[in-house]
Amino acid sequence: MDVMGDKATLLETGRFVQPADFSESTGDLSQPMDRDETGEAAEEARQRLAAQSGDVEAMSVLGALLLRRGDLDGAEPHLRAATAAGDRAAANNLGVLLHQRGYADDAAGWWRIAAVAGSAAAAHALGRHHRERGDEPAAEYWLRQSAEQGHALGAYALADLLEHRGDTGAEQWMRIAAERGHREAAYRLARSLDRRLGPEEDVGDDHGAGAEAEQWYRQAAARGHRRAALHLGAILERRGALKEAGRWYLTSAKDGEARAACALGFLLRDAGDTESAAVWWLRAAQDGDGNAANALGALHAERGESQTAERWYRAAMDAGDDNGAYNLGLLCAEQGRTAQAEQWYRRAAYAGHREAANALAILLLQGGDTAGAEPWFSKAAEAGSVDAAFNLGILFAGRGEEALALRWYERAAAAGHTEAALQVGIARLRDGDETEAERHLRCAAGGGSAEAAYRLATVLDARRPPVPAHSLGEPVHAGKSECEEWYERAASQGHRRAQVRVGMLAAGRGDVVEAARWYREAAEAGSRNGAFNLGLLLAREGSDPEAAVWWTRAADAGHGRAALRLALVYARRGELAEGQRWADRAVALGPAEVSERAARLRDALREELSA
């Protein structure tokens, strides 16, 4: 079992060596540290001369030097001699040597001798030995001995053992090990604090567990822990400190962390450097990161390189990322390969991919298989797909099952779906619950729905008191009301009825230019009311020919009042037959008041023509 985090350092006399496999590093800790080789050779020669003269400490130091170098045969006699003379460091190192040779039980015997003599390093090694053999009480005893003597590796190993048992004392020892510079302990402490945060908190908050978690991530990352560097980068990215986040992602990625390479790729893409992003995604994808493979697939799909995109999506799928199958479905759907799209959507959906389930349901619905679509919509919605909840609302509304439709609309609206909030608002208006209707319409309008902004404006408009008039009959000019602001927001988004209403409000203020602008926008977008009102405005300004052009457009679109106006225009011009034709059209179009007036005009024109 390998739970150690950092390379061991020499303790006490400078003659202790830890077993190589007790570290998180894959390197051999018995190899010499970085130092001047000439100086080390001189030191070895000096210690060798002293050892030959019977100096016990020199024997121990020389054995440790040779053990670090990997010269087990050369180290053993010196360590045995020093151990026989009572040197506890030599006893510990002899245990390390025997452990490396595969004699674990013999090693444990020497570690016990050294640990009893007060060696924290030996107590740690002995505790690890007992844990590997399943003797947890003995393991805890020796690890606690080591930890209480200030040994960082002992504190970490004790914390790991206690955490495995669910003992609340684990965090105390993990913190002690972290404070003594153990990078894995710092990382695990940060992760523990991270998981403890509430839904409203975030790692990196200025106080509390979030700030402490970031502190420990930083300590572990600074000591070369690549996963800590990854998490630190993510914290900084969420905070908006993108430059520093990129540096930590880069550090982690260079150390071989595929997720950091992938995250760095997204950071570079967002900065506009797609080529560099692709380099890091490629590196991460080659290391088995499915998210990076999907990103590469999307990049090639955007470039129109469908075959390469498909290859990377398949690589993502092979890496266990269900998004790969979903993206393959999207790719096939875009190419019109419906059967293959359904196949990939199904694969992702059966694996629990909620958006794939929603996409599959849409595909089935488009093919007329309503019965097959409904369970997939339900599955996706129950898994948290907001779009699927909205689509279920549409499905039930289409069947006339309004209560069920409203339930799903409400669920999607609660998750922030704009169009669902609009539908709930409309339903509440129908029910007469204006307060709830307004609440949902505000949500939808705030989310960008032009229809919701218009409907909210009409609700607020209906509540407005009558506009007071000046003594001469001119309206009093006041600031814009909230309903006008919502009308304008909807109008600016291209909502034709809102554009007409904004034009009417502007005309009411006497702003003819503004009114004409909005009427024209609505009319050119196909609004018959906009065309009719623009005609009225132009007629008042004396532009009868142009007014007739817009009334003709409105009448052709079915506007009865516009047809009546045209009938009157042609009658005044003396074009009685054309006037009669438009009067007939107005009678047919209505409403009742218009039909009645148009009928009288038509009859009068008919009499005039027959006279």
Side-chain angles (χ1 to χ4, degrees):
M1 183 185 299
D2 183 6
V3 295
M4 294 307 304
D6 294 308
K7 291 184 178 181
T9 53
L10 298 182
L11 303 176
E12 298 179 316
T13 64
R15 290 173 273 125
F16 285 94
V17 177
Q18 291 292 338
D21 60 347
F22 281 4
S23 167
E24 71 168 358
S25 169
T26 57
D28 184 355
L29 298 187
S30 65
Q31 296 301 314
M33 304 282 187
D34 292 333
R35 63 175 65 183
D36 182 78
E37 292 184 5
T38 305
E40 186 173 313
E43 173 66 10
E44 181 184 336
R46 189 176 69 79
Q47 295 295 346
R48 193 177 292 279
L49 286 172
Q52 288 172 355
S53 65
D55 187 321
V56 174
E57 184 176 344
M59 295 176 194
S60 182
V61 171
L62 179 59
L65 286 172
L66 295 170
L67 179 58
R68 250 194 210 92
R69 188 183 300 162
D71 184 0
L72 304 188
D73 291 335
E76 185 170 355
H78 296 293
L79 292 175
R80 285 192 179 278
T83 298
D87 188 285
R88 70 178 187 184
N92 173 65
N93 291 339
L94 181 57
V96 173
L97 184 148
L98 292 169
H99 188 273
Q100 290 184 14
R101 288 190 186 278
Y103 302 123
D105 291 335
D106 291 343
W110 291 111
W111 283 331
R112 181 180 296 277
I113 290 169
V116 170
S119 168
H124 162 251
L126 186 57
R128 289 300 312 279
H129 170 81
H130 284 299
R131 187 176 180 188
E132 287 173 356
R133 275 154 180 72
D135 188 351
E136 291 197 1
E140 181 181 351
Y141 173 82
W142 288 112
L143 291 175
R144 196 175 291 277
Q145 293 292 317
S146 175
E148 288 174 351
Q149 291 179 65
H151 196 279
L153 297 177
Y156 173 74
L158 176 60
D160 183 76
L161 176 63
L162 295 175
E163 186 176 270
H164 174 69
R165 285 189 199 158
D167 193 310
T168 54
E171 185 175 318
Q172 171 199 347
W173 287 109
M174 196 70 79
R175 189 179 297 276
I176 288 170
E179 288 169 349
R180 290 172 183 164
H182 194 290
R183 70 178 185 186
E184 184 69 17
Y187 171 71
R188 286 179 61 173
L189 179 59
R191 293 296 295 147
S192 175
L193 293 167
D194 196 343
R195 286 189 289 268
R196 200 179 301 164
L197 294 176
E200 301 301 319
E201 299 175 283
D202 191 14
V203 180
D205 286 347
D206 292 337
H207 55 82
E212 190 181 4
E214 181 181 349
Q215 168 201 336
W216 291 116
Y217 278 136
R218 280 190 180 277
Q219 178 170 312
R223 290 179 61 84
H225 197 292
R226 69 188 192 189
R227 283 170 294 160
L230 167 66
H231 285 284
L232 181 56
I235 293 166
L236 293 165
E237 184 179 359
R238 287 196 298 272
R239 190 184 298 160
L242 303 184
K243 198 168 184 179
E244 189 182 358
R247 286 200 298 270
W248 285 112
Y249 283 148
L250 179 61
T251 298
S252 180
K254 284 182 175 178
D255 285 341
E257 181 59 56
R259 289 174 297 169
C262 181
L264 181 58
F266 283 111
L267 213 58
L268 290 165
R269 181 205 63 183
D270 293 344
D273 189 355
T274 310
E275 294 306 315
S276 296
V279 170
W280 287 104
W281 282 334
L282 178 60
R283 182 167 175 171
Q286 288 173 337
D287 286 339
D289 189 284
N291 195 21
N294 272 315
L296 280 173
L299 183 64
H300 287 288
E302 286 172 11
R303 294 172 177 172
E305 300 165 355
S306 300
Q307 287 186 335
T308 307
E310 185 170 337
R311 181 166 62 83
W312 282 114
Y313 288 149
R314 287 180 181 274
M317 193 171 56
D318 291 342
D321 191 327
D322 298 328
N323 281 311
Y326 173 58
N327 287 333
L328 276 169
L330 291 174
L331 189 66
C332 292
E334 286 173 7
Q335 295 171 345
R337 296 153 59 195
T338 308
Q340 291 92 330
E342 181 180 338
Q343 169 196 344
W344 293 117
Y345 285 150
R346 279 189 186 278
R347 177 163 178 171
Y350 278 121
H353 195 293
R354 65 190 189 190
E355 296 310 324
N358 181 54
L360 174 60
I362 291 171
L363 202 65
L364 294 170
L365 196 60
Q366 289 170 343
D369 186 1
T370 308
E374 184 182 337
W376 284 111
F377 276 139
S378 296
K379 185 174 182 179
E382 294 294 351
S385 171
V386 180
D387 287 337
F390 177 65
N391 288 336
L392 270 175
I394 294 173
L395 192 68
F396 287 120
R399 294 177 183 169
E401 300 177 53
E402 299 297 338
L404 273 175
L406 181 58
R407 193 185 85 190
W408 286 108
Y409 284 145
E410 285 178 328
R411 183 164 177 172
H417 196 287
T418 299
E419 290 304 312
L422 169 62
Q423 294 303 321
V424 175
I426 292 170
R428 293 305 179 203
L429 279 177
R430 279 200 307 266
D431 297 340
D433 188 349
E434 196 172 286
T435 303
E436 273 298 291
E438 182 183 339
R439 183 172 72 83
H440 282 94
L441 289 174
R442 283 187 183 278
C443 290
S449 169
E451 181 65 24
Y454 172 73
R455 287 178 180 266
L456 174 60
T458 60
V459 169
L460 298 173
D461 202 357
R463 295 180 192 160
R464 288 202 305 169
V467 178
H470 190 270
S471 58
L472 297 178
E474 297 174 354
V476 175
H477 293 283
K480 289 181 181 178
S481 64
E482 187 187 4
C483 79
E484 288 180 87
E485 290 174 356
W486 284 112
Y487 277 135
E488 287 190 4
R489 181 181 292 196
S492 65
Q493 293 175 261
H495 194 287
R496 293 182 301 179
R497 283 177 295 167
Q499 288 169 341
V500 173
R501 185 63 181 142
V502 172
M504 292 171 67
L505 292 169
R509 292 194 299 271
D511 191 345
V512 177
V513 174
E514 183 73 359
R517 180 173 75 85
W518 285 113
Y519 286 152
R520 192 177 298 275
E521 276 203 40
E524 289 177 347
S527 167
R528 63 188 186 184
N529 286 329
F532 175 70
N533 287 357
L534 180 57
L536 288 177
L537 207 61
L538 291 166
R540 286 172 193 160
E541 295 296 312
S543 301
D544 288 342
E546 191 179 353
V549 169
W550 289 106
W551 283 333
T552 301
R553 182 180 290 195
D556 286 341
H559 198 288
R561 293 182 190 278
L564 177 58
R565 287 277 177 174
L566 283 169
L568 290 168
V569 166
Y570 285 111
R572 283 196 294 267
R573 288 180 186 172
E575 299 178 32
L576 304 183
E578 190 66 11
Q580 184 181 343
R581 186 174 72 83
W582 282 112
D584 280 335
R585 178 81 170 137
V587 169
L589 292 173
E593 177 194 347
V594 170
S595 296
E596 184 180 338
R597 290 179 60 195
R600 289 199 299 269
L601 177 60
R602 179 192 59 191
D603 293 342
L605 290 173
R606 185 176 296 149
E607 288 178 13
E608 187 72 22
L609 284 167
S610 62

